[in-house]
Amino acid sequence: MSHRMDSNCPVQQPDSDTLPERTRFSRNWSKAFSKSASSSKEVLNLGPEIKEKCQREAAYLFKLEQSFRNSLADLKTHVLKPLVKAEVSDQKNRPQLREALLVLEESLEVIYNESEEHCLHLEGTLDTLTQKELYLLENTQRLKEVYILYFTAFTNYVVLCGFEHIAKQTSDYWKKNKKMLKGFHLDLSSNTSLSVSLHRVFHEPIRLQVQKYIDVLRKLSWGLKKHPETKPITDALATFIDLDKWIRQSLDVATLTKTLWNSLGSKLTELLFLPERRLREDSKNIPLSCPDGRFVLFDDSLVMVQGSESSIYKLDTLWVETMDNISSERNQLKVIVPEEEFIFTMQDSQDKMVWFWKLNQAIRQHLDGKLDFPLWGEESSENSCSVPACRFAAYTFINNPRFKDAVYEGDWYQGKLQGSGIMKWPDGRNYIGNYEAGLEHGFGVYVTPAGPEIFDCYKCHWKRGKMHGYGICEYGNGMTYKGYFQDNQRHGFGILHCSQLEKLPFKYVGHWENDKKAGYGVFDDLDRGERYIGTWLEDCKHGSGIVITQSGLCYEGNFQYNKIMGPGTILSEDDSAYEGEFTEELVLTGKGKLTFSNGYMIEGLFSNKWGSGLKTNGTFCKPTEELNPLITSKMQLGSHIIPAKDRWQGIYDQFTDFLNSGSDETSVESFLGFYSKNREKRKNLKSRPITTKVETVMEHSTEDPLDFLSCSRPNGATSEELASNQCDLAKGQQLKEYLTKAFASTHHPLGKLLQTLILVFQDTFSGICMHKRLLSLAQQEVISHAKKLFELASYFLPESLEKDDSSTESAVRDLNAYTVILPLILPRFYPDLFMLYMLYHEVEDSMYWKGILYLELLSDTKLLEFLEVQKDLWPLQDIHLTNKQRISVVKDVCFTSAILCFQKISTTADPQDKLDTLMKTYHEIESTVTRVLQRQYNLSMDDLLPLLVYVVSRARILHLGAELHLIRDMMDPSTEGGMNDFLLTALDSCYQHIQKEELRSRSLPK
């Protein structure tokens, strides 16, 4: 295997110079190493002698390089080649030794090729050479890389005790060829061992060549002033001086590392040994007191040795702290690793600083992926303190019961999981997401086996190691949960859905406590075609509830642990109604009253199952004249259900918890149910006032109409306070514009809240179990939501909508839930809500439409005559045509403006807009009459009613009864009475009049 290394990534080594490591470092650790380049003396001027110097030194360098090249050729041929041959032919040899020698051979070949290139370059440029063309200056970095590559391979072979091994393998050969080693001009005495001789032959000539390069560059730089033209010389000189230091330090560290391996037992050496691993420090050299044993610092790990056992702590997950501010013992260091902490106690402050410096330097260089060049110098002294506390690393947990045997890869901070990462357990569990203080915190995805080839997947938010906040869980059994968690349990609002592919498909939308259904919720039994709307306790129907069946049968009562108890109400599909006692299987028991759709009643004791033939002992009553036959068809469910303001309290509780949390980033994502990629932008907003945040986000948001806005009002404000904070109608419009953006954005808390409310509304009132008898419940919920949203909007007001002392009473009255919130949210609820109104008025609207079709048969003039409109109010007096012509013209112009105006009533969801349309229609009728009479005329009810019937019949509004009922239910109570009441009464009279059977029984005018 070939080992190549970047020039900036030499193998890590300890100090240099004198052998006692501690003495050397203790004396020099705080002193800056001087730059050799700075020793260049400044003399005289920079004249043409530079070129002359370069040519002179180049000639000298050419001879040196030729000699060096020849020496390398001899080393390759007469020394290395026999060694490689012997090593390759040895079948018992360790593969590491063979591989290391081959790498050494390869790196020596690289140096030889570089020297050959150097010679050729010098030979061709001796006469014309300038300092810019000098090979040493042109290729400084290349030469540095080549020598680092070689000495990295050489020291790896040294650490492997390669020369000792190969000396034994080739001892017979060298006995016959001993003169070859002496031919390298080394001072080898007769007592020098063969391994030492080989060691010297392979590094001394090559290191000596570097020193000769330094001498040449010093001669070139001598006497030159600082000048741009001399900078390449001084830079190259500094590089080769550092290279020489690096070589010296690498050789020393390799020798110390080899000595360590020889001193350790074979078991420890086998466990810890790596050819490229280098010793940094040993507690035997600089003593430290730690009850856990001996500590050895390498360039990639800290090893604790206890007898023949050892524990390895990788440097990428190791942190060092001084304890000056923690402990009274000043000569202590704290070493932090993922699952342990150690306290090192040194003899004096100098020892403490040595360990602190060396640990941090080793950590920093290991994290950077490269070492200082040279290994120790003033640069390394300056950078040794800049050890990042936040890191990315992999680690396998051993002792932590929560993560035992799990492999983690991700971010760390001071020995704790912090940031994002991936955790994988041997049993197949996986977690990918955010961590804080060593635990899952923030958004994360957790997958756990639920059986053979089946997994449960939790995509949710976490808090201190537990699921907390919004999440989506896809279970292996086909169920899906979307909602909130607390302490790893479903808690708060959530939706649990089971696919129809399963045996028992269902859907639950509601509240949870401790992983069980509790509070208000809606349960769809998709198999039986039933829907339960009501309260729950411990996964059971408990309290007031309503059951709607797909067939149209529905009943209401009080449940106790899934059993209906006490009196209740059953409403059948044929509009029969039973009020009394019955069981969950619809078996009538005890007293009750049965009312048929035609008004007949039976009151007494009942038995037997509903729909299976009733048994009764009671009184039969005919309907009285005052009794409306439609009374049973109009009966509504939900009279005993909890009030609308309390039904979905769990949803609002989640919102309140979010506001009380201070709107930090984690709580925002937890509530909104998404992972934000705009953290930095939001962090910048956090330090600003709430109003500034609002305006900034509204102004600069591009992807979303309105991004998240923090809350700075811990206690909120009441609706009265909110109204008092508005200054005028213009600001009321500004508030509506702001809230329009907020409600449209799922990244705004109000938008997320509204989205959830719409979802539960649809799951409650739409679908196959949609029923007219739920209209009151639906209408109450929409009004309740508008009022609550109006109160909550106070948390997110822009600065421009804050309190203004110039507020007028009329402006305050005009701003409330009906005028601000309802127009914004009603269109979102409208499709399902209006469908309920249509079902509720189905019979009346059918009769009304028959009347419309009947009146369609009449021309305009005939219709006006049929409705007994005073002829002086007809807009026909100024037209003098034949009857046939008159009918043709008038058919399109008679009260056309009023008809077109009234048709707009079905184009809006806002009840106030519908009222305004009705008012405009009235004014259009009145203005037409005024034009006809050529004087101002105020219509009385007697005059208005037939004209309004005419306009309504020609406008052909479908489901007018539903429209009229919706206006009355949803309009602002403060606008009741006066002209609005007058017009609604008139429209209702028209609606009732068109329905009447006697209207169609009258003969048409001829």
Side-chain angles (χ1 to χ4, degrees), residues 681 685 688-702 704-710 713 731 734 738 741 748 795-802:
K681 179 176 71 173
L685 292 175
R688 308 182 188 179
I690 176 64
T691 53
T692 307
K693 297 175 191 177
V694 172
E695 293 166 348
T696 302
V697 174
M698 290 182 68
E699 180 180 353
H700 298 289
S701 177
T702 56
D704 209 38
L706 197 66
D707 209 338
F708 156 71
L709 309 174
S710 297
R713 306 180 187 185
K731 287 193 174 180
Q734 187 180 354
Y738 169 78
K741 295 180 179 180
H748 189 289
Y795 285 90
F796 303 94
L797 291 182
E799 186 179 34
S800 58
L801 299 179
E802 293 294 339

Side-chain angles (χ1 to χ4, degrees), residues 434-532:
N434 294 330
Y435 291 86
E436 185 175 297
L439 296 172
E440 300 94 329
H441 192 89
F443 180 77
V445 178
Y446 177 69
V447 179
T448 181
E453 304 296 327
I454 299 175
F455 294 88
D456 292 342
C457 179
Y458 299 83
K459 295 175 280 189
C460 56
H461 290 264
W462 300 69
K463 184 177 182 181
R464 292 190 286 274
K466 294 182 179 180
M467 288 181 282
H468 187 99
Y470 185 82
I472 299 175
C473 300
E474 298 168 346
Y475 301 99
N477 60 8
M479 290 192 297
T480 301
Y481 174 79
K482 298 180 180 181
Y484 292 88
F485 287 85
Q486 181 175 298
D487 295 334
N488 282 340
Q489 295 181 324
R490 292 174 292 219
H491 192 92
F493 172 76
I495 301 173
L496 182 65
H497 179 252
C498 184
S499 169
Q500 293 191 19
L501 298 177
E502 302 299 319
K503 293 182 179 179
L504 297 174
F506 69 88
K507 185 176 184 180
Y508 173 76
V509 179
H511 305 297
W512 300 78
E513 286 184 13
N514 303 322
D515 226 29
K516 295 182 179 180
K517 304 179 193 72
Y520 189 77
V522 178
F523 184 87
D524 277 349
D525 187 332
L526 303 177
D527 186 48
R528 299 180 61 181
E530 289 184 358
R531 175 176 296 168
Y532 171 81

Side-chain angles (χ1 to χ4, degrees), residues 711-849:
C711 166
S712 62
R713 306 180 187 185
N715 298 319
T718 65
S719 56
E720 291 79 14
E721 290 171 341
L722 176 62
S724 65
N725 285 348
Q726 317 310 314
C727 62
D728 51 33
L729 292 177
K731 287 193 174 180
Q733 183 60 33
Q734 187 180 354
L735 174 61
K736 290 181 182 179
E737 293 174 358
Y738 169 78
L739 291 177
T740 299
K741 295 180 179 180
F743 288 141
S745 170
T746 56
H747 288 185
H748 189 289
L750 289 175
K752 170 65 176 179
L753 178 59
L754 178 60
Q755 182 188 51
T756 305
L757 296 175
I758 293 168
L759 178 65
V760 299
F761 186 86
Q762 292 171 343
D763 285 324
T764 305
F765 301 109
S766 67
I768 59 175
C769 291
M770 173 181 280
H771 206 287
K772 65 181 180 180
R773 302 191 188 278
L774 299 177
L775 175 59
S776 294
L777 284 178
Q779 181 265 337
Q780 292 166 11
E781 283 194 14
V782 174
I783 295 296
S784 175
H785 293 330
K787 291 178 179 179
K788 286 193 175 184
L789 288 172
F790 184 68
E791 294 179 8
L792 294 173
S794 62
Y795 285 90
F796 303 94
L797 291 182
E799 186 179 34
S800 58
L801 299 179
E802 293 294 339
K803 186 174 181 180
D804 189 328
D805 294 335
S806 64
S807 301
T808 62
E809 292 185 6
S810 61
V812 170
R813 285 196 303 270
D814 285 330
L815 297 177
N816 55 50
Y818 290 90
T819 58
V820 176
I821 303 296
L822 196 59
L824 302 179
I825 69 171
L826 190 55
R828 309 280 291 276
F829 294 96
Y830 192 79
D832 299 304
L833 179 63
F834 193 70
M835 181 61 72
L836 291 174
Y837 276 100
M838 289 167 55
L839 292 174
Y840 184 83
H841 289 277
E842 186 176 12
V843 175
E844 296 93 323
D845 278 342
S846 176
M847 296 170 61
Y848 153 79
W849 193 247

Side-chain angles (χ1 to χ4, degrees), residues 143-160:
L143 288 168
K144 170 187 165 184
E145 293 172 6
V146 167
Y147 281 94
I148 285 176
L149 177 67
Y150 177 78
F151 278 98
T152 297
F154 176 79
T155 53
N156 284 346
Y157 197 64
V158 169
V159 170
L160 280 165

